[in-house]
Amino acid sequence: MFFNVFWLLFILYALVPTIKQWRTSAHRFRMLEKIEKKKNSRAITLIHRQESFNLLGIPISRYINIEDSEEILRVIRLTPDDVPIDLILHTPGGLVLAAEQIALAILKHPGKVTVFVPHYAMSGGTLLALAADQIVLDPNAVLGPIDPQLGTYPAVSILKVVDKKDINEVDDTTLIWADVAQKAMKQVKSSVSYILKSRDIPEEKAEELAQIFTEGRWTHDYPITGEELEAMGLDISYDMPREVYALMELYPQFPRRRPSVQYIPVPYQRKEERE
């Protein structure tokens, strides 16, 4: 009897994460439908967070990869030319190949493409934002630099090492990395410039912005605010729909045993609204 109860409890415990995942997925689809009906658009999410629904509870870090590009290219192909696309974006970046494929697909869609960034879209995520017809940020959301990274090192830093040291003191491996770094810098800058020109930004301004985003003037995780983007001459909107925030709540970060942040999860009214 005890043995049967033990296995029953074990099976129930194993099923709880799966049931929770099904319920969360259903809520996400309903929220996407709500956004689409409100804006008469195709809503797509590209959200990378640490999620854990499996039995072992191991968090998985996510980033833009080939699977993402294949899925987004597929859904764009399935979207009629006259239907706008709303892309909800939350990502630390990822593979250059995947990000550039998605960015080019965004450019080619005849309908209006709007990118919504409720928190951040760094590196390759910034490339996607620049490819859109409109960028909508939360007032505190940020984009990031698009300078290429080789392994764990910024390409620009590899080039600076070779430039500062005597060539006879630099090993062959570093010289090879420097050659690849130089090509990566050139390729990424060219891609950013092409995307900006395709969005009717004048050639000289597009080249200037491409240089700013890719030259490595900041660390790769530097947060570029909406105010800085506007100062660069980019058109930024802060009209973030409430539904986007609600959707983000359905993509929870992997929970710690002891929460770092706690609050009463209800909106408070301003004093004048209460009176």
Side-chain angles (χ1 to χ4, degrees):
M1 179 66 180
F2 175 79
F3 182 79
N4 292 336
V5 171
F6 171 80
W7 278 108
L8 179 61
L9 291 175
F10 179 81
I11 292 171
L12 289 174
Y13 179 78
L15 286 176
V16 166
T18 302
I19 295 172
K20 182 179 179 181
Q21 185 175 10
W22 287 342
R23 291 184 61 190
T24 301
S25 295
H27 287 318
R28 290 172 181 173
F29 278 114
R30 284 198 291 270
M31 187 55 66
L32 284 174
E33 288 179 345
K34 187 174 182 180
I35 293 172
E36 290 184 343
K37 289 179 181 178
K38 180 179 180 179
K39 298 178 64 60
N40 294 315
S41 66
R42 162 86 79 175
I44 306 171
T45 62
L46 184 58
I47 297 174
H48 295 126
R49 305 189 78 159
Q50 284 188 339
E51 293 186 274
S52 176
F53 291 114
N54 55 39
L55 179 62
L56 298 177
I58 300 174
I60 301 173
S61 296
R62 302 185 183 277
Y63 56 89
I64 301 173
N65 57 28
I66 296 300
E67 287 75 17
D68 291 328
S69 65
E70 290 176 352
E71 285 295 327
I72 292 184
L73 265 59
R74 185 177 297 113
V75 71
I76 290 177
R77 285 198 303 270
L78 293 173
T79 304
D81 290 348
D82 60 344
V83 174
I85 290 176
D86 292 329
L87 177 60
I88 295 94
L89 191 57
H90 178 80
T91 180
L95 298 179
V96 174
L97 169 61
E100 287 193 4
Q101 280 189 305
I102 298 171
L104 293 176
I106 288 173
L107 278 177
K108 292 176 182 177
H109 183 67
K112 181 180 180 181
V113 179
T114 304
V115 164
F116 295 92
V117 183
H119 297 293
Y120 66 83
M122 308 297 283
S123 191
T126 298
L127 190 67
L128 306 190
L130 294 177
D133 294 284
Q134 184 178 28
I135 302 173
V136 180
L137 300 180
D138 175 85
N140 297 304
V142 297
L143 301 185
I146 318 176
D147 56 307
Q149 310 291 296
L150 300 181
T152 57
Y153 299 110
V156 66
S157 297
I158 295 174
L159 293 174
K160 285 184 177 180
V161 167
V162 175
D163 183 57
K164 290 183 177 181
K165 295 186 71 173
D166 187 306
I167 192 67
N168 297 311
E169 297 179 0
V170 181
D171 62 86
D172 291 346
T173 301
T174 303
L175 290 174
I176 293 171
W177 277 108
D179 179 60
V180 176
Q182 188 174 40
K183 293 172 182 175
M185 294 284 291
K186 182 178 179 180
Q187 290 167 192
V188 172
K189 180 185 176 183
S190 176
S191 296
V192 175
S193 176
Y194 172 78
I195 286 170
L196 293 171
K197 291 174 188 175
S198 299
R199 284 301 176 210
D200 297 326
I201 293 179
E203 183 173 352
E204 185 176 346
K205 184 64 176 178
E207 291 291 341
E208 177 190 348
L209 290 174
Q211 180 73 15
I212 290 173
F213 277 105
T214 64
E215 68 182 357
R217 65 168 60 183
W218 303 297
T219 59
H220 195 58
D221 61 350
Y222 176 77
I224 305 176
T225 65
E227 290 79 7
E228 288 178 282
L229 294 167
E230 289 178 316
M232 294 179 195
L234 294 172
D235 185 18
I236 304 297
S237 169
Y238 300 98
D239 187 20
M240 184 70 66
R242 290 184 179 272
E243 290 80 5
V244 172
Y245 295 121
L247 182 64
M248 284 300 300
E249 292 177 4
L250 299 175
Y251 289 83
Q253 193 76 6
F254 177 67
R256 301 177 179 86
R257 291 184 180 275
R258 180 172 59 83
S260 300
V261 179
Q262 288 185 307
Y263 58 96
I264 301 173
V266 294
Y268 286 174
Q269 290 182 320
R270 297 186 180 91
K271 182 178 179 182
E272 57 271 20
E273 293 176 343
R274 295 196 302 266
E275 293 176 347

